[in-house]
Amino acid sequence: MTTTPAAALRARLADPAAPQVRCPGATDGLAARLAAAAGFESLYVSGAGASAARGLPDMGLLSLTELIDAVHVVADAAGLPVVVDGDTGYGDIVAIRRTLRELAAAGAAAVHLEDQPFPRRCGYLTAEPCVPIAEMLRRLDAARAADSGLVLIARTDSLLTEGIEATVERAKAYAGAGVDLLMINGVRAVADLERVHEATGFPMLHNVSGSDRTPALSDAEARSLDVRISIWPIQAARAATLAVQRYFAALAASTAPPELMGFTEYMDLAGWADADAFEDAIARGAGPADDDRSTG
């Protein structure tokens, strides 16, 4: 029986002795395939990354349709479970239900929802306070009631504006709301995670923030803190953007460009060799054309 991406991820997370699931962010199909080829077993779609890929700032301008498109591209290209940044859910409680169901249909495995105000902005570039705990609990209630099957992650940005004790209070409340994991955004030191773990004993997702403020965890550290997933949201996109910027600068200056991926390698990464082999197999009659699908 075919399993869903969410079920596959749940099975992986069910073993507390297993290493953390390391999820690099991917903004397109090529990045997703490169990550899969490198051996990663899950990927992340960032709202900031998906926005930037469309030339938009991370200010709540990305539409649900655009997010769904990004998730579908990444999930289809890599064939791996995808953790998705669901922002504040793209609206009120009925919109949250739709968001989770659409993400599941697009191939997502997990989603995190946050306690930022709506419309939301990048938590690292704003000082807006989070919504009241009761409002966030309504969001989580709606997400659970969507019955999407997705791994549900409750994210709080309160550490960025309210401090660690307020964050602990929120973490306790969210952990009791039927979610699968907690996500503490804005971590600057492992001590922040230690404090939350001490207070809640609840499994977590750790954001190795693309703002360069947050330390990565070794597998041993992750296990001791019950961190099941770590994400690197936009680091790969930043690396790719810098490479493109340098190439354009060299081209504009008519100087030697930086090293490029080989032409054939690039085309094959996009699927050329696989598609060519498929066409050849069909032309030789080796494909599925001989199965009995006729009715007359």
Side-chain angles (χ1 to χ4, degrees):
M1 185 173 69
T2 302
T3 188
T4 66
L9 182 60
R10 281 186 189 281
R12 174 64 175 74
L13 297 177
D15 181 3
Q20 62 185 323
V21 178
R22 302 169 77 237
C23 301
T27 55
D28 57 47
L30 293 182
R33 289 183 177 180
L34 285 169
F40 289 98
E41 55 185 298
S42 187
L43 299 176
Y44 180 69
V45 171
S46 156
S51 296
R54 288 159 176 77
L56 299 172
D58 187 22
M59 292 182 171
L61 301 177
L62 189 75
S63 71
L64 175 59
T65 300
E66 290 167 327
L67 176 68
I68 295 300
D69 180 62
V71 171
H72 178 77
V73 167
V74 169
D76 186 62
L80 296 174
V82 177
V83 179
V84 181
D85 178 0
D87 288 340
T88 58
Y90 290 85
D92 204 356
I93 55 174
V94 178
I96 290 172
R97 179 178 67 176
R98 181 193 175 203
T99 294
L100 267 71
R101 291 178 176 178
E102 294 269 4
L103 286 173
V111 61
H112 62 73
L113 297 179
E114 66 197 35
D115 54 12
Q116 284 201 43
F118 177 81
R120 51 92 58 204
R121 300 162 68 93
C122 175
Y124 290 95
L125 299 174
T126 182
E128 290 187 68
C130 297
V131 299
I133 290 176
E135 172 61 23
M136 179 59 173
L137 293 177
R138 287 180 69 247
R139 293 176 183 177
L140 297 176
D141 284 345
R144 288 200 334 275
D147 198 25
S148 66
L150 296 177
V151 173
L152 180 59
I153 304 157
R155 163 178 156 175
T156 180
D157 281 41
S158 56
L159 190 58
L160 292 162
T161 56
E162 301 173 30
I164 186 62
E165 294 309 318
T167 297
V168 166
E169 181 184 0
R170 286 177 178 271
K172 288 179 178 178
Y174 302 167
V179 302
D180 297 290
L181 300 170
L182 294 174
M183 175 179 174
I184 310 303
N185 206 35
V187 168
R188 287 181 177 269
V190 175
D192 295 328
L193 293 176
E194 290 174 340
R195 178 72 182 91
V196 174
H197 176 63
E198 176 187 74
T200 68
F202 204 78
M204 290 185 280
L205 176 150
H206 177 52
N207 178 18
V208 187
S209 166
S211 70
D212 301 326
R213 300 182 187 184
T214 305
L217 302 176
S218 68
D219 286 342
E221 288 174 319
R223 191 175 293 112
S224 71
L225 296 169
D226 207 7
V227 168
R228 306 292 179 87
I229 299 174
S230 283
I231 58 172
W232 284 258
I234 59 172
Q235 285 87 334
R238 288 170 53 196
T241 301
L242 179 61
V244 172
Q245 184 184 56
R246 288 175 173 171
Y247 171 78
F248 284 152
L251 186 64
S254 298
T255 58
E259 182 181 3
L260 304 180
M261 176 179 280
F263 173 75
T264 301
E265 183 182 3
Y266 176 79
M267 297 298 281
D268 283 346
L269 181 63
W272 179 276
D274 175 70
D276 193 46
F278 179 78
E279 285 186 335
D280 184 60
I282 295 298
R284 290 185 289 102
D290 293 332
D291 61 359
D292 185 13
R293 287 174 291 181
S294 63
T295 56

